Amino acid sequence: MEIFLIKTLQFLMAISLLVLLHEMGHFFFAKLFKVRVNKFYLFFNPKFHILSTYDTWVRRLLKLKPEVVPSKEVEETDDKGKVTKTVVKDYVGTEYGLGWLPLGGYCAIDGMIDETNQKLSEETHPWEFRVKPTWQRLLIMVGGVLVNFVLALFIYAMILFTWGETYVPVQQMTEGLEFNEYARQLGFQDGDVLLSTENGDFKKFDADLFRMLSEAHEVNVLRQGKPAVVSLPGDLNLLDMIKSEPVFARVRIPAVIDSVLPGTPAEKAGLRKGDRLLSINGHEVASFGQVTDQLAAVGDRIKEMPADSLTIRRISIGLLRGADTLTTQATLTADLKLGFAPKQIYTPYTREYGFWESLPAGVGYGWHVLASYVDDMKYLFSADGAKSLGGFGAIGSLFPDTWDWHRFWLMTAFLSIILAFMNILPIPALDGGHVLFLLYEMVTGRKPSETFMVRAEYIGFGIVVLLMVVANLNDILRWLGYM
C-alpha cells in the first residue's frame, strides 16, 4: 500500500505541474493579445469544484487595474436557493479554480469553441479569441505545447547539471550479453560484447541499443576476444524484441551472490555471499538472468496447477561454495523471490556537466527522446502496439517505489514530451486540431463554419475519450492477468 501511495503521489505531482504549465502557455499568449480568459482550472470540475476565486485579489496584489467587462444579469437567491431578484453586476477578471477530478485542467478562452464552450453568441466583441488575427490565434493554441516542450528540455538540462549521466559503456561489459533463441538464430552468441553498427557505436544498455539493433544490417561484436560481424535484416520489430520473454538481449551477470536479505528463502536455505548458483530444479544456470528464467518457469507451472502452488514453490538449488559443490532446498515467496542480490561486476561511469554545458546537452537529449518516441508511434497501429497502450495505472507504475528525485524528474520530463506531442496531433478537441483548422484558414483565407467546428469538437472529444478508455482498460486487463 505504501508503494502504491508513493507512486500515486509522484504521478499526481508530475501531471499537475505539467498540466498547470501547459494551460499557462495558453493563458500567457491569450493575455498578451488581450483575449479574455473566463476560467483557469487545475483539474476538471464537473458539477462542482473544490476552490474558486475571481482574480480581483491577484490584481490588487500586483497593483493592476480591474479588468472590467460588460455587465450581465445575475440571479440572487435566498438561503433556500429560491431566486429573489435579478440584478446587474460587473464581471471582473478570470476565475481561478481547483476541480475535484485530477485528470488534467483547462483554460476557458472567451470566443473559442472547445470542450468548455461549444456555442458562441452571434454578437462579437474585440476581446474574443475568434476576432483576433490568425497568427495570434495560432500562437495561443501552440502556447501549451511550446511550454511543455521547452520545460522538458530545461528539466533534462538540469538533470544533467545536477546528477550528470551515469551508465556502464556497453563495450566495457566484458561478460557480454546473453540472447534469446530468436537472437541466437540471427547469429548472436551468449557472451558477445556489442561494439557498433553501421550507424554508430553503442553507448549504454537501454532502449536506444535495441532501436539500433532493429535498424542495423551489420553489428560488430567482440566474441571470445576476437572481432566478429553479425548480419541482420535491418527491419527487426522493436516491440517484439523488447516484449519477448526472455527479452532479445540482456546484460550477462554471473549467478554469484553478493548479499542475502534477512528472513528470506535464500537465508533459510543457507545461501551465503560468494556462492555461485549452478542449477535450479536440475536446470543449469550460468547467469543471474537464467536464474530469473527458472523462477519464471516455476510461476508458469503454478498457473497450470494452482492447487499445488506450495509444492511447486519448493525448489532445489545446486551451488558452488569454494571448491565444494552443494545442494539445498528453498521455498520461494508467494511472488517467487529467493531474496538475494547478485554480485555487481561493473563500475558505472559518470559524466558530469557544467551549467552552460548542460543546456545544449539537455536540448540534444530531449530532442532525441522526442524523435525516438515519434518513431516508435508506428507500432501503435499494430495489434501488439494497441495492447501496449497504457493508461494512468501504467504511467504511474513507471515512477520509482521509493522517493527518488532523479527518477522523478526524468519521468516528469518524459511525460512533458509526451503531453506536448499528443496535444499537437491533428485531432479536433486537442490543440493540434485547432492548429490544423487555423492553418487551413491561413492557406484558404476562409474560416471553417461554427457548425463544422462544433461537430469536429464532438468527434475529436469522442476519439480522445475512446483512446483513454482503451488505454485504461488495458491497465485493468493487465492487472487481472489477461494481458
Side-chain angles (χ1 to χ4, degrees):
M1 186 63 179
E2 181 182 355
I3 291 176
F4 172 78
L5 291 176
I6 290 174
K7 286 177 175 284
T8 301
L9 181 59
Q10 290 180 90
F11 169 71
L12 289 178
M13 280 185 61
I15 206 67
S16 298
L17 173 66
L18 297 180
V19 169
L20 180 65
L21 293 177
H22 177 92
E23 298 301 332
M24 285 182 67
H26 296 307
F27 183 88
F28 170 79
F29 283 106
K31 290 294 186 179
L32 180 66
F33 300 130
K34 302 188 184 306
V35 175
R36 184 161 300 141
V37 178
N38 295 324
K39 293 183 178 182
F40 186 95
Y41 264 75
L42 176 62
F43 303 153
F44 292 113
N45 60 321
K47 301 299 183 181
F48 68 95
H49 51 255
I50 297 175
L51 295 172
S52 175
T53 178
Y54 291 101
D55 69 350
T56 306
W57 63 274
V58 177
R59 305 188 71 82
R60 287 175 180 170
L61 180 65
L62 299 177
K63 297 182 179 179
L64 299 175
K65 295 180 178 179
E67 182 188 357
V68 180
V69 305
S71 302
K72 66 175 183 178
E73 292 185 346
V74 178
E75 292 181 341
E76 289 191 350
T77 59
D78 57 20
D79 294 338
K80 297 181 179 180
K82 183 179 180 181
V83 177
T84 56
K85 62 179 179 178
T86 300
V87 298
V88 175
K89 291 188 175 181
D90 285 339
Y91 171 66
V92 180
T94 303
E95 177 188 353
Y96 298 97
L98 177 66
W100 61 269
L101 187 61
L103 299 180
Y106 66 93
C107 177
I109 297 174
D110 204 353
M112 173 183 167
I113 295 176
D114 61 8
E115 69 275 9
T116 66
N117 183 19
Q118 296 192 341
K119 187 169 180 59
L120 304 177
S121 63
E122 294 183 3
E123 183 182 3
T124 61
H125 301 94
W127 59 80
E128 289 185 324
F129 173 84
R130 56 179 166 172
V131 304
K132 297 298 180 179
T134 311
W135 67 272
Q136 292 185 4
R137 285 180 280 142
L138 185 63
L139 284 175
I140 292 172
M141 292 317 307
V142 300
V145 169
L146 183 63
V147 166
N148 281 134
F149 185 60
V150 172
L151 175 67
L153 302 182
F154 177 74
I155 292 176
Y156 280 131
M158 292 302 97
I159 288 173
L160 293 176
F161 173 65
T162 305
W163 290 283
E165 188 178 13
T166 301
Y167 61 95
V168 176
V170 177
Q171 294 86 347
Q172 295 180 19
M173 294 180 176
T174 53
E175 292 286 328
L177 307 182
E178 56 185 14
F179 302 87
N180 65 12
E181 182 61 29
Y182 176 58
R184 287 194 289 269
Q185 290 174 5
L186 291 171
F188 289 105
Q189 294 182 15
D190 288 349
D192 282 352
V193 179
L194 299 185
L195 300 177
S196 63
T197 73
E198 71 271 20
N199 297 318
D201 295 341
F202 292 105
K203 181 179 179 181
K204 55 185 176 180
F205 190 84
D206 59 4
D208 285 337
L209 180 141
F210 288 92
R211 186 172 290 105
M212 288 180 68
L213 288 174
S214 71
E215 299 171 351
H217 289 90
E218 289 188 349
V219 181
N220 300 304
V221 304
L222 197 63
R223 180 173 295 166
Q224 297 178 353
K226 297 179 180 180
V229 177
V230 178
S231 297
L232 296 180
D235 59 351
L236 297 178
N237 187 296
L238 178 62
L239 194 61
D240 289 344
M241 294 171 68
I242 295 175
K243 292 187 65 177
S244 59
E245 294 181 5
V247 70
F248 186 88
R250 60 190 172 192
V251 179
R252 198 180 193 195
I253 301 175
V256 178
I257 295 177
D258 180 67
S259 60
V260 176
L261 300 178
T264 61
E267 183 188 50
K268 294 174 183 177
L271 299 182
R272 303 177 189 171
K273 179 177 181 177
D275 288 349
R276 178 184 290 271
L277 302 191
L278 300 177
S279 65
I280 301 288
N281 283 341
H283 297 279
E284 182 180 346
V285 293
S287 67
F288 180 68
Q290 292 177 3
V291 172
T292 60
D293 289 345
Q294 291 304 318
L295 299 185
V298 172
D300 293 338
R301 289 182 59 202
I302 291 175
K303 289 180 181 178
E304 296 174 0
M305 298 179 289
D308 298 330
S309 170
L310 186 60
T311 302
I312 296 172
R313 277 167 36 211
R314 186 164 181 80
I315 63 173
S316 63
I317 303 172
L319 59 99
L320 182 66
R321 179 176 296 162
D324 299 326
T325 301
L326 308 173
T327 301
T328 186
Q329 303 281 325
T331 300
L332 300 176
T333 61
D335 57 352
L336 307 179
K337 294 290 190 295
L338 258 175
F340 75 89
K343 183 179 180 180
Q344 298 301 316
I345 60 175
Y346 302 121
T347 302
Y349 159 78
T350 299
R351 179 181 176 183
E352 297 182 349
Y353 292 83
F355 179 79
W356 296 112
E357 187 184 15
S358 70
L359 297 179
V363 170
Y365 189 98
W367 185 259
H368 175 72
V369 170
L370 175 62
S372 300
Y373 182 76
V374 172
D375 183 61
D376 294 345
M377 286 294 291
K378 61 189 176 188
Y379 296 107
L380 182 63
F381 302 100
S382 65
D384 288 338
K387 291 179 182 178
S388 68
L389 273 176
F392 300 116
I395 297 172
S397 68
L398 297 176
F399 285 91
D401 297 344
T402 56
W403 201 275
D404 183 333
W405 282 111
H406 183 205
R407 293 178 62 188
F408 170 81
W409 287 115
L410 277 173
M411 271 303 303
T412 301
F414 180 60
L415 289 178
S416 193
I417 291 270
I418 293 177
L419 187 62
F421 176 74
M422 297 302 292
N423 263 285
I424 205 61
L425 291 176
I427 300 174
L430 297 180
D431 297 342
H434 292 280
V435 169
L436 179 66
F437 296 139
L438 286 168
L439 292 176
Y440 167 82
E441 181 182 338
M442 293 175 74
V443 172
T444 64
R446 299 193 304 271
K447 281 186 180 182
S449 69
E450 182 179 322
T451 301
F452 171 83
M453 292 291 289
V454 170
R455 290 176 179 173
E457 193 73 20
Y458 278 122
I459 293 172
F461 189 71
I463 293 173
V464 172
V465 170
L466 178 62
L467 287 173
M468 290 181 63
V469 169
V470 171
N472 286 284
L473 181 60
N474 284 349
D475 285 353
I476 295 172
L477 293 176
R478 275 190 285 267
W479 181 66
L480 295 174
Y482 290 106
M483 290 182 64

